[in-house]
Amino acid sequence: QVHLVESGGGLVQIGGSLSLSCAASGRTFSSYSMGWFRQAPGKEREFVTAISRSGASTYYANSVKGRFTVSRDNAKSTASLQMNNLKPEDTAVYYCAASNVALATSPHNYNYWGQGTQVTVSS
């Protein structure tokens, strides 16, 4: 069992930046590939990015590539998502999740989820 808690969401202007954190507790954090997803009102949960167990490999959705950066610190059992040049379409609840599948993009491959943190981008 892994318990995940996101933090760092909030309201930001267009072009601004936010950094999200995901703190894990329970089973060994480094055993899991980590992913970030987001869900806007009325839309399906959408893959944002994933990072491998060691942190050596990452994968991004085209919509965030070049603007978002995922990282992890296995010693601190945390994952982070740095979001730059934010756009209104980035507005959503952001979730971190843990998977036994490396760099999985489907939410069905993730076993554990955080409660989510709201990110709102406005003018």
Side-chain angles (χ1 to χ4, degrees), residues 27-84:
R27 295 190 63 182
T28 307
F29 178 70
S30 58
S31 300
Y32 297 94
S33 178
M34 296 299 295
W36 288 90
F37 290 77
R38 64 188 182 187
Q39 189 165 20
K43 294 188 176 182
E44 293 186 353
R45 193 163 295 190
E46 175 190 26
F47 171 78
V48 175
T49 182
I51 186 167
S52 63
R53 293 172 180 83
S54 68
S57 299
T58 57
Y59 185 73
Y60 296 91
N62 288 335
S63 58
V64 306
K65 198 174 295 183
R67 300 188 297 122
F68 290 12
T69 302
V70 64
S71 61
R72 67 188 296 162
D73 186 337
N74 286 341
K76 296 182 179 179
S77 296
T78 59
S80 299
L81 181 64
Q82 176 66 40
M83 305 183 294
N84 298 327

Side-chain angles (χ1 to χ4, degrees), residues 95-116:
Y95 300 89
C96 68
S99 174
N100 292 311
V101 178
L103 300 176
T105 60
S106 169
H108 301 293
N109 289 127
Y110 285 81
N111 308 92
Y112 304 103
W113 292 84
Q115 83 289 349

